[in-house]
Structure formats: C-alpha cells, structure tokens
Amino acid sequence: MNIDKPKIKEELLENGINFKECQDIDGIIYNRKFKDITIDEENIYNQNFENCIFENVTFNNCKFENIDLLDCIFDNCDLSNSKFPESSIYRVEFNNCRILGTDFTEGYFQNVQFKNISGKYSNFSASKFRKVLFEEANLESSAFSSCTYKETRYESSNLVASEFINTKLDKVVIAYCELSGIIVNAGDLRGVQITEDEAAELVSVIGIKIIG
C-alpha cells in the first residue's frame, strides 16, 4: 500500500504558541513549526492547519473540533486525552506519539500513518479510513466501532481487547498483531486479510473450537 507522504515546505516559521496570531489572512495556520512547547486547554473549532510540523509538543486537555489537518507531521508529541472529533486528516504522519485516550471520533483519515504510537484507550469510532497505516502501534482497548475502511493496514500492532463492533473488515490487512480479547462481530470478519497465527486467534475469539 502506497501512502502519500506530507508535502512539507523546506522553510517553516518557528514556533508561536498562540494559534490566532499564527493565522494568515484566510484564517489558515500555514507553514509553521511548533517545537518544544506545551499547549494548555486550547479549544479550537473549525480551524485549518496546513504544512505544519509539531515536534515535542504536549497538548494538555485540548479540544480541536472539526479541524482540517493537511500535510502535517507530529513527531514525539503527546496528544493524550485531548479531543479531535469530526476532523479531516489528510497526508499526515504521527510518529513516536502518545495518543492515550485521545478522541478521534467521526474523523476522516486519508493517507495517514500512525507509527510507533502509544494509543491505549484511544477512540476512533464512526471514522472513515482510506489509505491508513497503523504500524508498531499500541492500540490496546481502543475503539474502532462503526468505522468504514478502504486500503487500511494494521501491522505489528497491539489490538488486544480493542472493539470493532459494526465495522466490516473486508480487505483490511491485519498482519503480525496481537488480537487476544478483540471484540468483533463474526460476520464483519469476512474478507479480512490476516496471517495464519492471527486466524487461529480469531477463531477462538468468535467462539469456534477446533477438535481432532
């Protein structure tokens, strides 16, 4: 699966913690690099971020509702327990980030990579995924219920006790992942692409016993 990478300009304007001061004339936060800062209890609605890098940024109790992220990179950031509901995320990378308990519900994700993520208890319910890769991601006890997928892959990730209720997994690739205790409807597994070891795990999950 080929994922389009963020198209980042070479020169970005450094920092600035007040997002309103960073907006251009059209209200877009564009061509910015935020580094080594903590953003406390920021509430933002209907904001566009384009061509931005967030490096070693902590989002503390923030709510970013209905925002658009385009061509952005998050490196070594902590977004734990922050909220990003109803957001559109396109050509974005989350690398080495913490998203424990983060709310991404009703989001749209296209050409997005989550790599080496600590994301226990994160919530992606009712989201749409197209060309999304979760790689080396700890997603234990996370929620992916009522989601729709197209060209999505979970690789070398922890999906223990995660929920996929009312989520059809047709053509979703789940490779070399931990699946014990996963919550999924048996009928929604039709067409999922998995390894032999994961097939044995899923058989037990849906209550089938192999004899002989």
Side-chain angles (χ1 to χ4, degrees):
M1 180 178 64
N2 294 320
I3 293 179
D4 295 339
K5 299 185 73 64
K7 299 178 180 178
I8 301 292
K9 308 287 186 182
E10 291 186 5
E11 295 184 2
L12 301 179
L13 298 174
E14 286 279 351
N15 271 348
I17 197 169
N18 187 322
F19 287 136
K20 291 183 179 180
E21 294 178 357
C22 297
Q23 294 177 355
D24 65 13
I25 193 171
D26 296 317
I28 298 173
I29 297 175
Y30 175 77
N31 202 36
R32 289 279 180 167
K33 183 174 184 178
F34 302 90
K35 183 177 180 180
D36 300 328
I37 59 174
T38 296
I39 300 172
D40 286 314
E41 299 183 343
E42 188 80 49
N43 290 316
I44 291 181
Y45 178 78
N46 199 28
Q47 176 69 62
N48 290 6
F49 293 83
E50 185 175 340
N51 195 56
C52 293
I53 291 179
F54 299 83
E55 184 177 337
N56 297 318
V57 175
T58 296
F59 295 82
N60 185 22
N61 242 359
C62 293
K63 184 174 183 180
F64 291 60
E65 185 175 0
N66 195 32
I67 66 168
D68 287 345
L69 294 172
L70 171 62
D71 293 320
C72 294
I73 296 176
F74 293 79
D75 277 330
N76 297 299
C77 292
D78 190 346
L79 300 88
S80 298
N81 296 313
S82 287
K83 302 180 185 299
F84 297 81
E86 301 180 57
S87 295
S88 296
I89 301 176
Y90 182 71
R91 286 201 304 265
V92 173
E93 292 181 357
F94 296 87
N95 301 313
N96 306 305
C97 292
R98 291 167 56 85
I99 57 169
L100 283 80
T102 303
D103 178 0
F104 288 107
T105 53
E106 298 184 76
Y108 178 79
F109 300 81
Q110 182 170 346
N111 288 295
V112 177
Q113 172 182 283
F114 293 87
K115 187 171 183 179
N116 194 23
I117 294 297
S118 179
K120 194 173 182 180
Y121 304 120
S122 54
N123 190 352
F124 292 87
S125 293
S127 291
K128 297 180 179 180
F129 298 90
R130 181 184 178 94
K131 286 191 174 183
V132 177
L133 172 64
F134 293 90
E135 184 177 2
E136 298 177 0
N138 182 0
L139 299 165
E140 182 179 347
S141 300
S142 292
F144 293 90
S145 295
S146 301
C147 290
T148 58
Y149 290 106
K150 187 169 184 179
E151 295 185 77
T152 296
R153 184 180 184 96
Y154 296 85
E155 185 172 324
S156 303
S157 294
N158 181 358
L159 295 171
V160 170
S162 288
E163 296 185 6
F164 290 82
I165 301 298
N166 297 323
T167 296
K168 296 188 181 302
L169 297 173
D170 185 33
K171 298 181 181 178
V172 173
V173 176
I174 302 177
Y176 313 108
C177 294
E178 299 177 58
L179 300 177
S180 61
I182 191 173
I183 303 170
V184 60
N185 299 325
D188 290 334
L189 290 170
R190 181 183 296 273
V192 67
Q193 300 178 33
I194 54 178
T195 65
E196 290 184 7
D197 289 343
E198 288 156 337
E201 185 73 51
L202 285 178
V203 163
S204 65
V205 166
I206 61 178
I208 296 176
K209 294 182 179 180
I210 300 176
I211 60 175

